[in-house]
């Protein structure tokens, strides 16, 4: 599949040369309007259309249609610059902030340069997604961009990667829920009538069942409330960790290794997972009042998120050193009230994510159902599919409760594709005629770098996951 996409890029290069030759022959003129290069064909083309009494399909007609689409989109959009930044930051900050201190210690403080570098790369890939959307106003989603660039195969690849990321992210959230519930109820003698379940597994199942009805929600305003709640929980976790460092509950004098090169492949997966929000960026773009500011939104948002991750990473690493756990909340002093607040915030945050993460799949499912089907029937099918999927996720999370390895595998296997490989590939194919040689080389470098990160990170995290699984069962 990837080979076919690369072949398509090569065909675009050949097509680019042919189009330039044609433009010299037919007298077409390139005009620069609002940052876009428009090709205006000679007027006699329209005369031919009129003489033959057929509909004119010349380029300026399509440009007018695109302008109308732009006007309609702006009329239905109400998201300000500040609102867009808050939404993007909220989508990015999540499990990444929990694992960053562990990643900094595992990779060494030099690995923080990789964290910052990935933030810059992902901000750029967000920018070029906006460029693809500007080029064709009909595009409204990540899968639409994939289809526009590479046809049905591009849409299939994008959809597959998106659903893999949703599924694996929810498994990671459920493992986080399980790990923090153990600490919240540590020392509690819980009695239940399910001998095959440990207390922690039983509590996790109850928490997931409490969150399960949210998958039946169709009201977007209710889902938006869950998004806001999730953002507040992420902010609360950051403030609790900062308070623990400032109030002196833990000494801040632990040494951080300089560089542990053998851990970099798995650490890169943890880092890149924290930047994996690109699948919803097209929706953010279309919701903006002024989409021309999308690049600024991306720069500000990724700067804020990178600052949060870096600050939290070094705070946690200095407080706990080599004893830091895969989730910073599990390392905080258990007797502190600040820790209890952070733990409950970490428990609530995953429960707000299930409906949010499932929404793209639910929308596609409803569109795939026959239009003659009633809304109630569609809701039942949507709810049943979501409930079954969540139970599968719960089963997998309880079977493989190794947070850092699953998160690293998710980042390496799918987040790298979402953040780097696919956006750059879509951009090259969609905007081939407008990019300069330096930009071409930059995007080819990011695609190659993404493939290397994905390959090494997937192999490393898979080996560590398998090793942990074998040790657990042998003991």
């Amino acid at each position: 599949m990837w080979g076919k996409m690369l072949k398509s890029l090569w065909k675009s290069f050949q097509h680019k040369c042919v189009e330039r030759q044609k433009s010299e022959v037919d007298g077409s003129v390139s005009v620069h309007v609002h940052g876009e290069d428009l090709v205006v064909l000679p007027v006699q083309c329209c005369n031919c259309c009129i003489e033959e009494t057929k509909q004119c399909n010349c380029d300026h007609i399509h440009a007018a249609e695109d302008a109308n689409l732009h006007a309609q989109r702006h009329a239905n959009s109400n998201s300000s610059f500040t609102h867009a930044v808050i939404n993007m930051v909220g989508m990015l900050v999540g499990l990444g902030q929990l694992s960053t201190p562990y990643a900094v210690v595992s990779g060494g403080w030099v690995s923080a340069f990789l964290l910052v570098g990935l933030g810059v790369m992902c901000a750029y890939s967000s920018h070029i997604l906006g460029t693809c959307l500007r080029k064709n106003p009909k595009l409204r989603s990540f899968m639409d961009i994939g289809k526009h660039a590479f046809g049905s195969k591009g849409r299939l690849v994008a959809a597959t990667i998106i659903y893999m990321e949703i599924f694996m992210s929810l498994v990671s959230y459920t493992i986080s829920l399980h790990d923090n519930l153990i600490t919240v109820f540590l020392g509690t003698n819980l009695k239940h009538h399910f001998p095959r379940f440990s207390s922690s597994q039983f509590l996790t199942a109850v928490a997931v069942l409490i969150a399960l009805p949210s998958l039946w929600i169709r009201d977007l305003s209710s889902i938006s409330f869950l998004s806001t709640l999730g953002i507040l929980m992420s902010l609360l976790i950051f403030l609790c960790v900062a308070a623990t460092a400032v109030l002196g509950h833990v000494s801040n004098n632990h040494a951080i290794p300089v560089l542990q090169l053998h851990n970099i492949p798995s650490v890169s997966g943890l880092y890149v997972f924290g930047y994996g929000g690109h699948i919803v960026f097209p929706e953010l773009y279309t919701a903006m009042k002024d989409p021309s500011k999308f690049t600024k939104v991306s720069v500000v948002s990724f700067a804020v998120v990178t600052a949060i991750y870096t600050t939290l990473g070094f705070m946690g690493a200095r407080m706990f050193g080599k004893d830091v756990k895969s989730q910073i909340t599990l390392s905080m002093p258990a007797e502190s009230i600040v820790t209890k607040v952070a733990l409950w915030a970490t428990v609530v945050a995953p429960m707000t994510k299930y409906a949010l993460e499932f929404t793209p799949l639910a929308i596609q499912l409803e569109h795939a159902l026959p239009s003659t089907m009633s809304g109630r029937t569609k809701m039942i099918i949507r709810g049943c599919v979501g409930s079954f999927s969540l139970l599968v996720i719960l089963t997998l999370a309880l079977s493989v409760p190794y947070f850092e390895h699953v998160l690293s595998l998710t980042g390496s296997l799918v987040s790298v594709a979402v953040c780097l490989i696919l956006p750059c590939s879509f951009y090259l194919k969609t905007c081939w005629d407008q990019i300069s040689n330096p930009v071409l080389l930059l995007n080819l470098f990011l695609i190659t770098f993404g493939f290397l990160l994905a390959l090494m990170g997937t192999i490393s995290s898979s080996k560590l996951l398998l090793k942990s699984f074998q040790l657990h069962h042998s003991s």
Side-chain angles (χ1 to χ4, degrees), residues 404-448:
E404 65 274 25
H405 303 322
V406 173
L407 197 68
S408 177
L409 180 61
T410 304
S412 300
L413 189 61
V414 291
S415 296
V416 170
V418 168
C419 295
L420 294 177
I421 299 173
L422 290 182
C424 293
S425 300
F426 295 163
Y427 174 67
L428 288 180
K429 186 66 170 65
T430 302
C431 305
W432 187 271
D433 294 334
Q434 300 174 1
I435 58 178
S436 61
N437 288 333
V439 174
L440 171 63
L441 292 175
L442 172 62
N443 282 271
L444 290 177
F445 166 76
L446 291 178
I447 292 172
T448 305

Side-chain angles (χ1 to χ4, degrees), residues 14 30 62 72 79 107 127 132 157 212 231 234 298-299 326 350 370 396 399 423 441 443 459:
Q14 295 174 319
S30 178
H62 294 303
Q72 292 173 8
S79 179
H127 155 69
C132 293
V157 170
L212 191 145
I231 294 172
S234 296
S298 299
V299 171
S326 59
L396 188 58
S399 303
L441 292 175
N443 282 271
I459 293 173

Side-chain angles (χ1 to χ4, degrees), residues 146-432:
K147 184 178 181 180
H148 178 68
F150 296 101
S152 58
K153 291 184 177 64
R155 183 180 180 86
L156 178 62
V157 170
T160 302
I161 295 295
I162 286 172
Y163 297 144
M164 283 178 64
E165 184 178 51
I166 291 172
F167 184 83
M168 295 181 72
S169 296
L170 289 180
V171 170
S172 301
Y173 274 110
T174 307
I175 296 173
S176 174
L177 176 64
H178 170 265
D179 293 346
N180 284 275
L181 275 173
I182 296 174
T183 309
V184 166
F185 290 97
L186 189 65
T188 303
N189 187 17
L190 182 65
K191 295 181 179 180
H192 58 84
H193 302 287
F194 299 94
R196 293 187 177 182
F197 284 81
S198 65
S199 297
S200 60
Q201 290 175 331
F202 177 75
L203 286 170
T204 305
V206 170
V208 169
L209 290 174
I210 291 173
L212 191 145
S214 64
L215 298 181
W216 293 68
I217 297 175
R218 295 186 68 186
D219 182 14
L220 292 179
S221 61
S222 300
I223 295 176
S224 177
F225 167 75
L226 292 175
S227 175
T228 304
L229 183 60
I231 294 172
L232 292 176
M233 293 301 102
S234 296
L235 177 61
L236 189 57
I237 293 168
F238 176 80
L239 293 176
C240 287
V241 176
T244 301
V246 172
L247 296 177
H249 292 160
V250 180
S251 61
N252 295 320
N253 57 1
H254 287 85
I256 306 174
V258 177
L259 178 64
Q260 302 196 78
L261 198 58
H262 62 284
N263 289 333
I264 292 298
S266 59
V267 165
S268 66
L270 295 175
Y271 284 155
V272 78
F273 179 88
Y275 295 120
H278 292 59
I279 59 176
V280 292
F281 288 174
E283 283 77 7
L284 276 180
Y285 177 93
T286 56
M288 290 183 65
K289 287 180 183 177
D290 185 3
S292 65
K293 294 182 179 179
F294 181 76
T295 296
K296 292 182 181 178
V297 169
S298 299
V299 171
V300 172
S301 300
F302 276 93
V304 170
V305 171
T306 302
I308 290 173
Y309 287 163
T310 307
T311 304
L312 202 59
F314 278 98
M315 275 198 304
R318 290 287 293 172
M319 282 193 291
F320 305 108
K322 292 182 179 180
D323 295 327
V324 69
K325 296 182 179 178
S326 59
Q327 299 177 67
I328 185 63
T329 51
L330 302 179
S331 299
M332 295 166 67
E335 68 280 359
S336 171
I337 185 65
V338 174
T339 301
K340 296 184 187 299
V341 173
L343 288 170
W344 274 111
T346 311
V347 167
V348 172
M351 297 175 68
T352 66
K353 296 291 184 180
Y354 293 121
L356 290 169
E357 295 281 350
F358 183 71
T359 297
L361 177 60
I363 292 172
Q364 292 298 320
L365 178 63
E366 287 197 4
H367 288 169
L369 294 173
S371 57
T372 54
M373 191 175 290
S374 66
R376 181 181 178 82
T377 304
K378 288 183 178 181
M379 185 192 71
I380 293 173
I381 294 175
R382 165 183 172 155
C384 289
V385 171
S387 301
F388 176 76
S389 301
L390 190 53
L391 293 177
V392 172
I393 287 168
L394 172 64
T395 304
L396 188 58
L398 296 180
S399 303
V400 193
Y402 312 111
F403 176 80
E404 65 274 25
H405 303 322
V406 173
L407 197 68
S408 177
L409 180 61
T410 304
S412 300
L413 189 61
V414 291
S415 296
V416 170
V418 168
C419 295
L420 294 177
I421 299 173
L422 290 182
C424 293
S425 300
F426 295 163
Y427 174 67
L428 288 180
K429 186 66 170 65
T430 302
C431 305
W432 187 271

